[in-house]
Amino acid sequence: AGGLRTLLVALLASLLTIAVYWPATHGGYVWDDGGLVVKPRDTLDEWRDVPAAFGRAAIAGEGVAYYRPIMVASFVVDAQLFGLAPQSFHRTNVLLHGANVGLLVLTLAAFGCGFWTAAIAGLAFGLHPLQPQAVALILGRNDVLLIPPILAMLVLDERVRRSRPRLADVLVAACFALT
């Protein structure tokens, strides 16, 4: 019963966070979005651009290379499934952030936090006033994509290290590579 209750509160925290940020899904392209999505259309127009994202910078120019292959690969998926309308990119960010809130609640519960502590901490993370930039800007995708591998590193290090420390090292390093 406790596990089901925690799962339900994680789902409710996710849904509340999604509802609060849903207006961001109506936004257009701003700031660096042009350099990430609008201008490099030839890097988002085919499924084979997903693996190609691991061989190039997201933004390059004037001596700066911004290498974020997971983010670019997720942009390719958005573009292939929903087209280049900015609303689809914003929607994905909002849904990812909502999922992150649920994952955080479940992670905190797995580490022994009480039901209410995990719920409040998840909501505080999801609705904190510092989050809108990460959620509402398309470039913020990088931030919302960092949470799952970081939470996985924590759980793997805690749970796997006890019985298989070398495996834990490999799995934590793999999660780190995803950041």
Side-chain angles (χ1 to χ4, degrees), residues 1-10 115:
L4 180 59
R5 185 171 79 159
T6 303
L7 191 59
L8 285 174
V9 78
F115 172 78

Side-chain angles (χ1 to χ4, degrees), residues 26-178:
H26 303 294
Y29 291 119
V30 296
W31 294 351
D32 293 332
D33 297 341
L36 286 170
V37 178
V38 179
K39 289 180 186 172
R41 289 180 187 215
D42 62 327
T43 63
L44 302 176
D45 63 346
E46 299 177 310
W47 283 107
R48 68 179 178 196
D49 289 327
V50 170
F54 291 84
R56 64 175 176 259
I59 299 175
E62 298 185 30
V64 176
Y66 187 65
Y67 182 71
R68 297 292 183 268
I70 303 293
M71 179 185 72
V72 173
S74 75
F75 290 160
V76 174
V77 172
D78 268 344
Q80 290 301 301
L81 293 177
F82 309 112
L84 292 172
Q87 293 78 18
S88 64
F89 294 90
H90 290 296
R91 183 177 52 243
T92 299
N93 280 14
V94 170
L95 294 174
L96 286 171
H97 183 59
N100 286 342
V101 168
L103 288 173
L104 179 61
V105 170
L106 295 174
T107 300
L108 292 172
F111 275 97
C113 288
F115 172 78
W116 288 110
T117 303
I120 292 168
L123 283 172
F125 169 77
L127 303 176
H128 195 279
L130 290 175
Q131 293 294 9
Q133 181 174 337
V135 180
L137 296 175
I138 294 172
L139 178 62
R141 175 82 55 93
N142 186 59
D143 295 345
V144 295
L145 287 173
L146 289 172
I147 301 303
I150 289 171
L151 293 177
M153 281 189 279
L154 292 171
V155 171
L156 288 168
D157 191 58
E158 173 66 22
R159 303 295 166 122
V160 179
R161 183 160 308 285
R162 294 178 192 157
S163 60
R164 309 222 16 224
R166 291 197 192 275
L167 177 61
D169 290 343
V170 170
L171 293 174
V172 166
C175 288
F176 180 75
L178 293 174

